[in-house]
């Protein structure tokens, strides 16, 4: 719902400021039926995806686990639109069904950081980036709701000019018009963590690049040309944690993405974050989040299903 309104509201405001209807939109669901968002707000679409649509742009908005009820037919509609020259886009989890439709081969795409592990697990050959927005020829992807607002501002600027785009941003107190090449900022647990010393930041980068194939503190120290003791002291001072615990938390965050946003088995999740079996993963996961992976997946699924039927996503 947030992604939807973040796309539509800037366009509505641009029309109002410009005094003309430059942008028009319609809501589409797969079969034309009402759609319940994850916030339980119901939307009544204007059209179904199966109709003979010819939009200039079509954006998919969904959770990463959402699937078409009739994927063969619906994916065929998207591929037909692709051949007809329609600009196709995905906002946040909407990039997942876009890739599944087979219309993203050879294109770069933006993936929300919280879906990154799940996306790479499901689509290992895709050229995914952590940029806020990516426009690659006739493909537009944005990492989340705020990024969708940025993408809408860019569309406004292209069609109505920078002055109107700037006024729209001011209307909504949007602090910065982010363009391409801007990377997502992952929320930190504390302000101190957002400004890590150079040694610690470089070590964290090494850790982040070796989630599935863990690197030892000795290897990190050798790569950075310092002693393991220096790495230990730097982490303790900057984060209050040992590098081992910090690294494990990074791996647990990646594991949680897979637990919540993929259908991988616990054995597959364990392997993806560098464990030979699921047993130690379960213990470390419980320590990090207070629940087992199975409990966490079951809890989030309680919000996604109703009467054992998946709730559709906008």
């Amino acid at each position: 719902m947030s992604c939807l309104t973040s796309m539509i509201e800037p366009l509505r405001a641009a029309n109002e400021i410009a005094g003309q209807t430059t942008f028009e939109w319609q809501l589409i669901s797969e079969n034309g039926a009402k759609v319940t968002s994850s916030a339980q707000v119901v939307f009544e679409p204007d059209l179904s995806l199966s109709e003979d649509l010819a939009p200039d742009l079509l954006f998919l908005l969904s959770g990463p686990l959402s699937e078409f009820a009739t994927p063969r037919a619906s994916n065929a509609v998207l591929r037909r639109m692709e051949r007809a020259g329609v600009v196709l886009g995905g906002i946040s989890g909407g990039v997942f069904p876009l890739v599944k439709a087979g219309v993203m081969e050879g294109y770069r795409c933006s993936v929300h950081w919280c879906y990154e592990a799940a996306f790479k697990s499901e689509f290992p050959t895709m050229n995914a980036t952590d940029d806020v927005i990516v426009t690659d020829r006739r493909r537009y992807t944005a990492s989340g709701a705020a990024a969708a607002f940025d993408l809408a501002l860019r569309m406004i600027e292209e069609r109505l000019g920078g002055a109107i785009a700037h006024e729209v941003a001011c209307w909504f107190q949007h602090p910065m018009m982010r363009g391409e090449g801007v990377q997502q900022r992952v929320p930190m647990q504390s302000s101190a963590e957002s400004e890590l010393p150079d040694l610690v930041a470089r070590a964290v980068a090494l850790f982040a690049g070796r989630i599935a194939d863990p690197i030892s503190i000795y290897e990190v120290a050798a790569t950075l040309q310092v002693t393991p003791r220096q790495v230990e002291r730097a982490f303790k001072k900057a984060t209050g944690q040992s590098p081992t615990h910090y690294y494990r938390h990074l791996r647990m965050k990646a594991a949680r993405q897979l637990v919540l946003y993929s259908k991988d088995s616990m054995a597959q999740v364990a392997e993806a974050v560098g464990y030979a079996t699921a047993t130690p993963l379960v213990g470390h996961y419980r320590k990090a989040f207070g629940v087992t992976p199975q409990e966490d997946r079951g809890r989030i699924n309680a919000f996604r299903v109703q009467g054992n039927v998946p709730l559709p996503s906008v």
Side-chain angles (χ1 to χ4, degrees), residues 192-226:
E193 194 177 356
S194 65
E195 299 179 358
L196 295 174
D198 181 64
L199 174 60
V200 177
R202 287 188 292 147
V204 168
L206 291 173
F207 290 155
R210 294 281 295 273
I211 297 295
D213 178 26
I215 186 172
S216 72
I217 304 304
Y218 291 97
E219 290 177 279
V220 170
T223 301
L224 301 180
Q225 298 183 321
V226 296

Side-chain angles (χ1 to χ4, degrees), residues 74-98:
S74 297
N75 288 338
V77 172
L78 295 181
R79 290 193 293 271
R80 178 188 61 75
M81 288 186 180
E82 192 274 337
R83 292 191 298 271
V86 175
V87 174
L88 299 175
I91 308 299
S92 190
V95 71
F96 282 75
L98 198 63

Side-chain angles (χ1 to χ4, degrees), residues 110-114 129-133 142-144 147 178 182-186:
S110 171
V111 177
H112 194 293
W113 64 267
C114 76
T129 79
D130 62 355
D131 288 356
V132 171
I133 60 175
S143 55
R178 298 173 297 179
V182 178
Q183 294 182 317
Q184 300 172 52
R185 295 188 63 181
V186 179

Side-chain angles (χ1 to χ4, degrees), residues 146-161:
F149 200 105
D150 291 317
L151 179 55
L153 289 175
R154 174 173 176 156
M155 292 163 57
I156 293 166
E157 184 175 25
E158 289 175 348
R159 290 161 177 79
L160 294 174

Side-chain angles (χ1 to χ4, degrees), residues 140-284:
Y140 292 0
T141 52
S143 55
F149 200 105
D150 291 317
L151 179 55
L153 289 175
R154 174 173 176 156
M155 292 163 57
I156 293 166
E157 184 175 25
E158 289 175 348
R159 290 161 177 79
L160 294 174
I164 289 181
H166 181 261
E167 188 168 350
V168 171
C170 290
W171 271 29
F172 292 93
Q173 291 292 290
H174 195 67
M176 182 184 298
M177 293 171 58
R178 298 173 297 179
E180 291 198 63
V182 178
Q183 294 182 317
Q184 300 172 52
R185 295 188 63 181
V186 179
M188 299 295 182
Q189 292 184 352
S190 67
S191 58
E193 194 177 356
S194 65
E195 299 179 358
L196 295 174
D198 181 64
L199 174 60
V200 177
R202 287 188 292 147
V204 168
L206 291 173
F207 290 155
R210 294 281 295 273
I211 297 295
D213 178 26
I215 186 172
S216 72
I217 304 304
Y218 291 97
E219 290 177 279
V220 170
T223 301
L224 301 180
Q225 298 183 321
V226 296
T227 66
R229 180 60 180 157
Q230 285 176 285
V231 177
E232 292 275 352
R233 286 200 302 263
F235 264 88
K236 281 285 188 180
K237 183 177 180 180
T239 70
Q241 302 178 61
S242 70
T244 299
H245 283 92
Y246 192 98
Y247 189 16
R248 181 183 297 165
H249 189 63
L250 286 182
R251 293 165 65 195
M252 288 304 98
K253 287 197 291 187
R256 194 164 197 239
Q257 291 179 20
L258 292 168
V259 168
L260 299 183
Y261 305 120
S262 81
K263 296 179 181 178
D264 290 355
S265 68
M266 291 307 123
Q268 290 172 317
V269 172
E271 183 180 2
V273 296
Y275 290 90
T277 67
T279 301
L281 166 71
V282 171
H284 290 158

